[in-house]
Amino acid sequence: MATIIKGKALAKKIRENLKVECDKLKEEGIKPRLAVIMVGNNPASKVYVKSKSKACDEIGIEYEEHLLDETITQQELNDLIQKLNNKEEVNGILLQSPLPQHLDINQAFKAISYRKDVDGFTPSSVGKLVMGGDTFISCTPYGVMKMFEEYNIDLTGKEVVIIGRSNIVGKPLAQCCLANNATVTICHSRTKDLKTHTKRADILIAAIGKANFVTKDMVKEGAVVIDVGINRTEDGKLVGDVEFEKVEKIASYITPVPGGVGPMTIAMLMNNVIKASKEQSNKNSTF
Ligand code: NAD
């Protein structure tokens, strides 16, 4: 039976430590502040934004929300981003995805100052991640790396197989694993014979968005299995991309859904906001 990687508990510990750090910053007159931009009325986005504001509240991070009408133009969105880039009190800017179809999210990310890019999505942050510089690591990959650290899972020389090549999960996660000396394979919807790849993974990471996609026969005995997926079944249950009950029997470690990677993502966002406020208040920062 696998050891369950308790993301919820680890995230709580990280948030508690961040609260101590945030209190100290406030004593020095530094008030960490996150600005969130949401365009339109996507119900899932609303839930995510709410949990981010709740986490800020708990830690003592100041929070402002910019709710924009879904008819907003790219220029108007970019103007708001520019305004927040220039607003000294704001340390972190988060643009909630998805955006309405007529808006180009990459263009919007490009407009965010990399010094305030707490999601780690701007080309500068991604470039620095690839080159091994000090940067904001996007929150889900960062959360997964923290889990490895907490459970002493050493990636050196390990075969890591990631299913999913998105800009927010698969690709940055691959870079993080590479930086930790793993041999990394990224699989995606066009990968041929997926099982051949997943079967040889010492560490298998699923970031697909399809309920129970990874079945027991796709997993090597003793593998570490990380489930990034968040899916709702027809009866409203929240499940991951991995068939948890069966895979748990053969894996060495496994993350549950809910209570695994999800809470870690928010904890690492908070971590990045605190980092941003420290960097911005440090006159000698080379960040
Ligand atoms: P995405 O839709 O951008 O990417 C999905 C990836 O899965 C694509 O690269 C695609 O090639 C791959 N894929 C699709 N079908 C496949 C198949 N049959 N075989 C192999 N690969 C296939 O999604 P995303 O934004 O990366 O998110 C992935 C999942 O992770 C979603 O369920 C999302 O809700 C979840 N997510 C969770 C967190 C968290 O905090 N836990 C954060 C971000 C995303």
Side-chain angles (χ1 to χ4, degrees):
M1 257 335 222
T3 299
I4 310 287
I5 299 182
K6 296 187 179 111
K8 194 175 171 190
L10 176 56
K12 184 168 181 275
K13 190 167 92 178
I14 292 172
R15 291 198 310 272
E16 282 165 2
N17 290 338
L18 289 171
K19 182 171 175 22
V20 174
E21 231 178 305
C22 189
D23 287 347
K24 268 194 212 143
L25 288 173
K26 284 181 174 168
E27 278 167 23
E28 295 165 25
I30 301 160
K31 293 185 202 157
R33 187 177 186 89
L34 173 68
V36 170
I37 306 170
M38 191 173 101
V39 186
N41 267 317
N42 184 303
S45 294
K46 277 188 184 168
V47 174
Y48 291 133
V49 165
K50 199 171 164 203
S51 49
K52 286 163 191 172
S53 93
K54 197 172 150 226
C56 282
D57 222 34
E58 184 191 314
I59 293 167
I61 293 172
E62 292 183 356
Y63 176 86
E64 62 181 63
E65 213 167 75
H66 299 266
L67 303 175
L68 307 178
D69 194 86
E70 62 187 353
T71 58
I72 193 168
T73 64
Q74 186 87 41
Q75 188 59 50
E76 285 168 322
L77 176 59
N78 285 10
D79 288 348
L80 171 63
I81 292 171
Q82 212 50 58
K83 205 173 113 194
L84 295 172
N85 283 340
N86 296 331
K87 189 172 170 185
E88 216 170 300
E89 309 89 83
V90 168
N91 304 112
I93 302 171
L94 184 147
L95 175 62
Q96 185 63 47
S97 65
L99 292 183
Q101 286 234 317
H102 69 282
L103 297 173
D104 178 346
I105 198 153
N106 286 332
Q107 232 198 82
F109 284 146
K110 218 158 109 185
I112 298 174
S113 158
Y114 79 90
R115 290 173 63 86
K116 298 190 177 185
D117 175 25
V118 286
D119 247 344
F121 291 162
T122 66
S124 305
S125 303
V126 175
K128 278 176 147 190
L129 178 66
V130 172
M131 295 175 81
D134 183 17
T135 186
F136 293 114
I137 303 171
S138 51
C139 307
T140 303
Y142 199 3
V144 172
M145 300 320 284
K146 280 281 165 199
M147 285 172 148
F148 290 143
E149 200 181 297
E150 176 76 8
Y151 284 79
N152 293 316
I153 297 167
D154 183 10
L155 269 63
T156 307
K158 298 275 168 59
E159 290 282 344
V160 172
V161 174
I162 301 170
I163 320 176
R165 59 173 163 182
S166 72
N167 286 343
I168 64 166
V169 187
K171 285 184 203 164
L173 195 46
Q175 288 301 331
C176 293
C177 294
L178 195 58
N180 280 275
N181 304 314
T183 302
V184 185
T185 304
I186 308 180
C187 298
H188 46 81
S189 54
R190 306 279 178 94
T191 297
K192 288 197 179 112
D193 198 1
L194 183 64
K195 193 173 151 185
T196 321
H197 298 284
T198 61
K199 247 326 215 195
R200 58 177 180 72
D202 299 314
I203 298 173
L204 180 60
I205 306 175
I208 312 153
K210 289 187 175 161
N212 301 320
F213 181 90
V214 175
T215 47
K216 190 178 164 195
D217 60 311
M218 294 168 75
V219 181
K220 182 167 89 170
E221 183 110 29
V224 174
V225 179
I226 306 291
D227 192 351
V228 178
I230 301 175
N231 312 287
R232 279 238 181 246
T233 59
E234 275 174 11
D235 52 5
K237 206 177 148 206
L238 209 61
V239 297
D241 289 345
V242 178
E243 206 180 29
F244 183 86
E245 287 79 14
K246 291 187 181 150
V247 173
E248 181 195 19
K249 294 199 168 76
I250 60 161
S252 57
Y253 291 87
I254 191 165
T255 62
V257 178
V261 177
M264 289 300 292
T265 298
I266 294 186
M268 300 327 290
L269 171 67
M270 299 297 116
N271 177 83
N272 283 352
V273 177
I274 297 289
K275 177 181 166 75
S277 58
K278 283 199 283 194
E279 295 293 351
Q280 286 158 36
S281 63
N282 177 5
K283 298 272 177 290
N284 300 320
S285 170
T286 54
F287 185 77

